[in-house]
Amino acid sequence: MLGKLDDYLRFNEAALNLRSQRQQLLSSNIANADTPNFKARDVDFASALQNAVGRAAGAPAAPALATTSPGHLAGNSAGTLADGTPLLYRTPAQGAVDGNTVDMDVERNQFADNAIRYEAGITLINAQIKGMMAAIQGAP
């Protein structure tokens, strides 16, 4: 029974988790707008969501990094999110003298768009839960 409930909510759960991680990434870009040589990062949301849903459905996860010394740090590389989603560099429309690739207009637009889509995801999960509650309670 719980497996079916998990399957029912899996897509929206994965989308919200990915949107949350992307929001942190975009806010990092905005925070580093004045940092010399900072390269703006983002994710390909569609492919990342497809991979996240596939992993949640039982597809094999990305292989872990092999450590050959006790001094090696476990974890993800700097080029991926915690779940293994690869981070991409944003291509600037116009280069900056200090090597920074953050375009504040693009970042603010992406940040606002992602926030709105996150709120829409919350609304969809609420609707799913209300639908399940109506089915359980037998509401007309």
Side-chain angles (χ1 to χ4, degrees), residues 18-63:
L18 190 57
R19 290 260 175 230
S20 173
Q21 291 175 0
R22 184 168 186 241
Q23 200 73 352
Q24 290 175 357
L25 188 62
L26 293 171
S27 64
S28 173
N29 289 347
I30 292 170
N32 287 292
D34 294 328
T35 304
N37 294 316
F38 181 81
K39 307 300 181 208
R41 307 293 295 265
D42 202 355
V43 295
D44 178 6
F45 188 82
S47 66
L49 181 59
Q50 188 175 27
N51 290 338
V53 170
R55 278 193 307 272

Side-chain angles (χ1 to χ4, degrees), residues 55 60-66 75-76 83-84:
R55 278 193 307 272
L65 296 175
N76 61 348
D83 65 352

Side-chain angles (χ1 to χ4, degrees), residues 67-94:
T67 57
T68 57
S69 169
H72 289 168
L73 296 176
N76 61 348
S77 68
T80 62
L81 292 176
D83 65 352
T85 301
L87 294 177
L88 307 172
Y89 289 101
R90 191 180 306 282
T91 305
Q94 180 176 353

Side-chain angles (χ1 to χ4, degrees), residues 100-139:
N100 187 309
T101 63
V102 175
D103 181 350
M104 285 301 289
D105 292 333
V106 170
E107 298 302 327
R108 281 190 289 248
N109 284 337
Q110 292 296 319
F111 189 89
D113 178 69
N114 195 60
I116 290 169
R117 291 175 190 265
Y118 184 86
E119 289 296 324
I122 294 284
T123 302
L124 289 172
I125 283 187
N126 283 337
Q128 281 184 309
I129 292 171
K130 285 180 184 176
M132 284 191 299
M133 291 301 293
I136 290 170
Q137 295 172 349

